Short mmCIF file of all heavy atoms in Angstrom, two decimals:
data_model
loop_
_atom_site.label_atom_id
_atom_site.label_comp_id
_atom_site.label_asym_id
_atom_site.label_seq_id
_atom_site.Cartn_x
_atom_site.Cartn_y
_atom_site.Cartn_z
N GLY B 1738 91.69 105.86 85.91
CA GLY B 1738 91.02 104.86 86.75
C GLY B 1738 91.99 104.16 87.68
O GLY B 1738 91.66 103.83 88.81
N GLN B 1739 93.22 103.97 87.22
CA GLN B 1739 94.24 103.35 88.07
C GLN B 1739 94.65 104.29 89.20
O GLN B 1739 94.72 103.90 90.36
CB GLN B 1739 95.47 102.95 87.24
CG GLN B 1739 95.21 101.87 86.21
CD GLN B 1739 94.97 100.51 86.81
OE1 GLN B 1739 95.02 100.32 88.02
NE2 GLN B 1739 94.68 99.53 85.97
N VAL B 1740 94.94 105.54 88.85
CA VAL B 1740 95.40 106.50 89.86
C VAL B 1740 94.33 106.66 90.95
O VAL B 1740 94.63 106.60 92.15
CB VAL B 1740 95.72 107.86 89.21
CG1 VAL B 1740 95.98 108.92 90.28
CG2 VAL B 1740 96.92 107.73 88.28
N TRP B 1741 93.08 106.83 90.53
CA TRP B 1741 92.02 106.98 91.53
C TRP B 1741 91.81 105.67 92.29
O TRP B 1741 91.42 105.68 93.45
CB TRP B 1741 90.72 107.43 90.87
CG TRP B 1741 90.83 108.81 90.31
CD1 TRP B 1741 91.79 109.73 90.58
CD2 TRP B 1741 89.95 109.42 89.35
NE1 TRP B 1741 91.57 110.87 89.86
CE2 TRP B 1741 90.45 110.72 89.09
CE3 TRP B 1741 88.80 109.01 88.68
CZ2 TRP B 1741 89.83 111.60 88.20
CZ3 TRP B 1741 88.19 109.88 87.80
CH2 TRP B 1741 88.69 111.16 87.56
N GLY B 1742 92.07 104.57 91.62
CA GLY B 1742 91.96 103.28 92.29
C GLY B 1742 92.90 103.22 93.50
O GLY B 1742 92.49 102.85 94.59
N TRP B 1743 94.17 103.58 93.28
CA TRP B 1743 95.07 103.42 94.43
C TRP B 1743 94.91 104.55 95.44
O TRP B 1743 95.17 104.36 96.61
CB TRP B 1743 96.51 103.17 94.00
CG TRP B 1743 97.32 104.28 93.44
CD1 TRP B 1743 97.76 105.40 94.09
CD2 TRP B 1743 97.87 104.37 92.11
NE1 TRP B 1743 98.52 106.17 93.25
CE2 TRP B 1743 98.62 105.57 92.04
CE3 TRP B 1743 97.82 103.54 90.98
CZ2 TRP B 1743 99.29 105.96 90.88
CZ3 TRP B 1743 98.49 103.94 89.84
CH2 TRP B 1743 99.21 105.13 89.78
N LEU B 1744 94.48 105.75 94.96
CA LEU B 1744 94.31 106.84 95.93
C LEU B 1744 92.97 106.79 96.66
O LEU B 1744 92.88 107.12 97.83
CB LEU B 1744 94.45 108.19 95.23
CG LEU B 1744 95.86 108.55 94.76
CD1 LEU B 1744 95.84 109.88 94.00
CD2 LEU B 1744 96.82 108.63 95.94
N PHE B 1745 91.91 106.39 95.94
CA PHE B 1745 90.57 106.46 96.53
C PHE B 1745 89.84 105.11 96.55
O PHE B 1745 88.87 104.94 97.28
CB PHE B 1745 89.70 107.47 95.77
CG PHE B 1745 90.32 108.84 95.68
CD1 PHE B 1745 90.50 109.46 94.45
CD2 PHE B 1745 90.73 109.51 96.82
CE1 PHE B 1745 91.08 110.72 94.36
CE2 PHE B 1745 91.31 110.77 96.75
CZ PHE B 1745 91.48 111.38 95.50
N GLY B 1746 90.25 104.19 95.69
CA GLY B 1746 89.61 102.88 95.67
C GLY B 1746 88.52 102.71 94.64
O GLY B 1746 87.86 101.67 94.60
N PHE B 1747 88.27 103.75 93.82
CA PHE B 1747 87.22 103.67 92.82
C PHE B 1747 87.76 104.18 91.48
O PHE B 1747 88.53 105.14 91.46
CB PHE B 1747 86.01 104.53 93.23
CG PHE B 1747 85.48 104.23 94.60
CD1 PHE B 1747 85.65 105.13 95.64
CD2 PHE B 1747 84.81 103.05 94.86
CE1 PHE B 1747 85.17 104.87 96.92
CE2 PHE B 1747 84.32 102.77 96.14
CZ PHE B 1747 84.50 103.68 97.16
N PRO B 1748 87.33 103.59 90.36
CA PRO B 1748 87.94 103.95 89.09
C PRO B 1748 87.35 105.18 88.39
O PRO B 1748 87.94 105.70 87.46
CB PRO B 1748 87.70 102.71 88.23
CG PRO B 1748 86.45 102.10 88.78
CD PRO B 1748 86.43 102.43 90.25
N TYR B 1749 86.18 105.62 88.77
CA TYR B 1749 85.58 106.84 88.19
C TYR B 1749 84.42 107.25 89.08
O TYR B 1749 84.11 106.57 90.06
CB TYR B 1749 85.16 106.61 86.73
CG TYR B 1749 83.83 105.91 86.51
CD1 TYR B 1749 82.76 106.56 85.87
CD2 TYR B 1749 83.64 104.59 86.90
CE1 TYR B 1749 81.55 105.92 85.65
CE2 TYR B 1749 82.43 103.95 86.69
CZ TYR B 1749 81.39 104.61 86.06
OH TYR B 1749 80.21 103.98 85.84
N ALA B 1750 83.82 108.41 88.77
CA ALA B 1750 82.65 108.88 89.52
C ALA B 1750 82.90 108.86 91.03
O ALA B 1750 82.14 108.30 91.80
CB ALA B 1750 81.43 108.03 89.17
N VAL B 1751 84.01 109.48 91.45
CA VAL B 1751 84.41 109.46 92.86
C VAL B 1751 84.00 110.77 93.52
O VAL B 1751 84.52 111.84 93.17
CB VAL B 1751 85.93 109.26 93.00
CG1 VAL B 1751 86.29 108.95 94.44
CG2 VAL B 1751 86.42 108.15 92.08
N ASP B 1752 83.10 110.69 94.45
CA ASP B 1752 82.59 111.88 95.14
C ASP B 1752 83.39 112.09 96.43
O ASP B 1752 83.29 111.30 97.37
CB ASP B 1752 81.10 111.66 95.46
CG ASP B 1752 80.48 112.83 96.22
OD1 ASP B 1752 81.22 113.74 96.64
OD2 ASP B 1752 79.25 112.82 96.39
N LEU B 1753 84.20 113.15 96.45
CA LEU B 1753 85.05 113.43 97.61
C LEU B 1753 84.47 114.55 98.47
O LEU B 1753 85.14 115.05 99.37
CB LEU B 1753 86.46 113.83 97.14
CG LEU B 1753 87.17 112.87 96.17
CD1 LEU B 1753 88.49 113.46 95.71
CD2 LEU B 1753 87.40 111.52 96.84
N SER B 1754 83.24 114.95 98.20
CA SER B 1754 82.74 116.20 98.79
C SER B 1754 82.72 116.18 100.31
O SER B 1754 82.89 117.20 100.94
CB SER B 1754 81.35 116.52 98.24
OG SER B 1754 80.43 115.49 98.54
N ARG B 1755 82.50 115.03 100.90
CA ARG B 1755 82.38 114.99 102.36
C ARG B 1755 83.72 114.72 103.06
O ARG B 1755 83.75 114.45 104.25
CB ARG B 1755 81.37 113.92 102.76
CG ARG B 1755 79.94 114.25 102.39
CD ARG B 1755 79.21 115.02 103.48
NE ARG B 1755 79.09 114.27 104.71
CZ ARG B 1755 78.10 113.42 105.00
NH1 ARG B 1755 77.12 113.24 104.15
NH2 ARG B 1755 78.08 112.78 106.15
N GLY B 1756 84.82 114.78 102.31
CA GLY B 1756 86.12 114.54 102.93
C GLY B 1756 86.51 113.07 102.91
O GLY B 1756 87.57 112.69 103.38
N PHE B 1757 85.61 112.23 102.41
CA PHE B 1757 85.94 110.83 102.17
C PHE B 1757 85.37 110.46 100.82
O PHE B 1757 84.63 111.25 100.24
CB PHE B 1757 85.43 109.92 103.29
CG PHE B 1757 83.97 110.07 103.61
CD1 PHE B 1757 83.02 109.29 102.96
CD2 PHE B 1757 83.52 110.99 104.55
CE1 PHE B 1757 81.68 109.42 103.25
CE2 PHE B 1757 82.17 111.14 104.84
CZ PHE B 1757 81.24 110.35 104.18
N ALA B 1758 85.71 109.29 100.32
CA ALA B 1758 85.33 108.96 98.94
C ALA B 1758 84.09 108.09 98.90
O ALA B 1758 83.96 107.15 99.68
CB ALA B 1758 86.49 108.25 98.24
N ARG B 1759 83.18 108.45 98.01
CA ARG B 1759 82.00 107.62 97.76
C ARG B 1759 81.86 107.41 96.26
O ARG B 1759 82.36 108.19 95.46
CB ARG B 1759 80.74 108.31 98.30
CG ARG B 1759 80.67 108.32 99.79
CD ARG B 1759 79.44 109.07 100.28
NE ARG B 1759 79.54 110.48 99.96
CZ ARG B 1759 78.58 111.36 100.27
NH1 ARG B 1759 77.48 110.97 100.86
NH2 ARG B 1759 78.73 112.63 99.97
N TYR B 1760 81.14 106.38 95.92
CA TYR B 1760 81.04 106.01 94.51
C TYR B 1760 79.71 105.35 94.26
O TYR B 1760 79.37 104.39 94.96
CB TYR B 1760 82.19 105.04 94.19
CG TYR B 1760 82.02 104.20 92.95
CD1 TYR B 1760 82.42 104.70 91.71
CD2 TYR B 1760 81.49 102.92 93.01
CE1 TYR B 1760 82.28 103.92 90.57
CE2 TYR B 1760 81.35 102.14 91.87
CZ TYR B 1760 81.75 102.64 90.66
OH TYR B 1760 81.62 101.88 89.54
N ASN B 1761 78.94 105.86 93.38
CA ASN B 1761 77.76 105.16 92.92
C ASN B 1761 77.26 105.72 91.59
O ASN B 1761 76.51 106.69 91.56
CB ASN B 1761 76.63 105.21 93.97
CG ASN B 1761 75.58 104.15 93.71
OD1 ASN B 1761 75.68 103.38 92.75
ND2 ASN B 1761 74.55 104.11 94.54
N PRO B 1762 77.69 105.13 90.49
CA PRO B 1762 77.20 105.57 89.18
C PRO B 1762 75.67 105.62 89.19
O PRO B 1762 75.03 104.74 89.76
CB PRO B 1762 77.72 104.50 88.23
CG PRO B 1762 78.93 103.95 88.90
CD PRO B 1762 78.62 103.99 90.37
N GLY B 1763 75.14 106.63 88.54
CA GLY B 1763 73.70 106.89 88.64
C GLY B 1763 73.46 108.05 89.57
O GLY B 1763 72.48 108.76 89.46
N GLU B 1764 74.40 108.24 90.49
CA GLU B 1764 74.35 109.39 91.39
C GLU B 1764 75.59 110.26 91.24
O GLU B 1764 75.50 111.46 91.06
CB GLU B 1764 74.26 108.91 92.85
CG GLU B 1764 74.22 110.07 93.83
CD GLU B 1764 74.54 109.64 95.26
OE1 GLU B 1764 75.12 108.57 95.46
OE2 GLU B 1764 74.21 110.42 96.17
N THR B 1765 76.76 109.62 91.29
CA THR B 1765 78.01 110.39 91.32
C THR B 1765 78.65 110.51 89.94
O THR B 1765 79.81 110.92 89.84
CB THR B 1765 79.02 109.74 92.30
OG1 THR B 1765 79.29 108.40 91.86
CG2 THR B 1765 78.48 109.68 93.71
N THR B 1766 77.92 110.15 88.91
CA THR B 1766 78.42 110.27 87.54
C THR B 1766 78.08 111.66 86.98
O THR B 1766 77.04 112.23 87.31
CB THR B 1766 77.77 109.18 86.67
OG1 THR B 1766 76.53 108.77 87.28
CG2 THR B 1766 78.64 107.96 86.58
N SER B 1767 78.97 112.17 86.14
CA SER B 1767 78.90 113.57 85.69
C SER B 1767 77.53 113.97 85.15
O SER B 1767 76.98 115.00 85.53
CB SER B 1767 79.95 113.84 84.62
OG SER B 1767 81.23 113.64 85.14
N ASN B 1768 77.00 113.17 84.24
CA ASN B 1768 75.74 113.58 83.63
C ASN B 1768 74.58 113.56 84.62
O ASN B 1768 73.68 114.39 84.52
CB ASN B 1768 75.43 112.73 82.39
CG ASN B 1768 76.21 113.23 81.19
OD1 ASN B 1768 76.04 114.37 80.78
ND2 ASN B 1768 77.11 112.41 80.68
N ASP B 1769 74.62 112.65 85.57
CA ASP B 1769 73.58 112.65 86.60
C ASP B 1769 73.73 113.87 87.50
O ASP B 1769 72.75 114.50 87.88
CB ASP B 1769 73.66 111.36 87.42
CG ASP B 1769 73.39 110.14 86.55
OD1 ASP B 1769 72.21 109.91 86.22
OD2 ASP B 1769 74.35 109.46 86.17
N LEU B 1770 74.97 114.21 87.82
CA LEU B 1770 75.22 115.39 88.67
C LEU B 1770 74.77 116.66 87.97
O LEU B 1770 74.16 117.53 88.59
CB LEU B 1770 76.71 115.48 89.01
CG LEU B 1770 77.26 114.35 89.88
CD1 LEU B 1770 78.79 114.36 89.86
CD2 LEU B 1770 76.75 114.46 91.31
N LEU B 1771 75.06 116.76 86.67
CA LEU B 1771 74.69 117.97 85.93
C LEU B 1771 73.17 118.03 85.72
O LEU B 1771 72.52 119.04 85.97
CB LEU B 1771 75.42 118.02 84.59
CG LEU B 1771 76.94 118.28 84.69
CD1 LEU B 1771 77.63 117.96 83.38
CD2 LEU B 1771 77.22 119.72 85.12
N ARG B 1772 72.63 116.91 85.31
CA ARG B 1772 71.18 116.83 85.05
C ARG B 1772 70.39 117.21 86.30
O ARG B 1772 69.40 117.93 86.22
CB ARG B 1772 70.85 115.39 84.63
CG ARG B 1772 69.40 115.06 84.44
CD ARG B 1772 69.22 113.62 83.95
NE ARG B 1772 69.71 112.59 84.87
CZ ARG B 1772 69.03 112.15 85.95
NH1 ARG B 1772 67.85 112.63 86.25
NH2 ARG B 1772 69.56 111.22 86.74
N ARG B 1773 70.85 116.73 87.46
CA ARG B 1773 70.09 116.94 88.70
C ARG B 1773 70.50 118.22 89.44
O ARG B 1773 70.04 118.47 90.54
CB ARG B 1773 70.33 115.73 89.62
CG ARG B 1773 69.57 114.49 89.22
CD ARG B 1773 70.14 113.22 89.87
NE ARG B 1773 70.42 113.33 91.29
CZ ARG B 1773 69.52 113.11 92.27
NH1 ARG B 1773 68.29 112.75 91.96
NH2 ARG B 1773 69.86 113.23 93.52
N ASP B 1774 71.41 119.00 88.85
CA ASP B 1774 71.89 120.22 89.53
C ASP B 1774 72.54 119.90 90.87
O ASP B 1774 72.26 120.55 91.88
CB ASP B 1774 70.74 121.21 89.74
CG ASP B 1774 70.33 121.86 88.44
OD1 ASP B 1774 71.21 122.23 87.66
OD2 ASP B 1774 69.11 121.98 88.20
N GLU B 1775 73.41 118.91 90.89
CA GLU B 1775 74.07 118.55 92.15
C GLU B 1775 75.42 119.22 92.32
O GLU B 1775 76.03 119.11 93.37
CB GLU B 1775 74.28 117.02 92.24
CG GLU B 1775 73.04 116.24 92.54
CD GLU B 1775 73.30 115.09 93.52
OE1 GLU B 1775 74.04 115.29 94.49
OE2 GLU B 1775 72.74 114.01 93.29
N VAL B 1776 75.94 119.83 91.26
CA VAL B 1776 77.26 120.46 91.36
C VAL B 1776 77.14 121.94 90.99
O VAL B 1776 76.27 122.33 90.21
CB VAL B 1776 78.29 119.76 90.44
CG1 VAL B 1776 78.67 118.42 91.02
CG2 VAL B 1776 77.78 119.61 89.02
N ASP B 1777 78.04 122.75 91.56
CA ASP B 1777 77.90 124.20 91.37
C ASP B 1777 79.12 124.84 90.72
O ASP B 1777 79.25 126.05 90.70
CB ASP B 1777 77.57 124.88 92.70
CG ASP B 1777 78.54 124.52 93.81
OD1 ASP B 1777 79.43 123.68 93.58
OD2 ASP B 1777 78.40 125.07 94.92
#
Side-chain angles (χ1 to χ4, degrees):
Chain B
Q1739 295 289 358
V1740 171
W1741 294 345
W1743 73 67
L1744 289 177
F1745 305 125
F1747 306 109
Y1749 81 116
V1751 192
D1752 178 352
L1753 307 175
S1754 60
R1755 291 270 298 273
F1757 53 91
R1759 288 177 293 179
Y1760 161 86
N1761 197 0
E1764 179 197 19
T1765 60
T1766 23
S1767 298
N1768 279 299
D1769 297 285
L1770 295 166
L1771 290 166
R1772 174 177 62 81
R1773 284 162 46 87
D1774 288 317
E1775 285 220 42
V1776 287
D1777 53 356

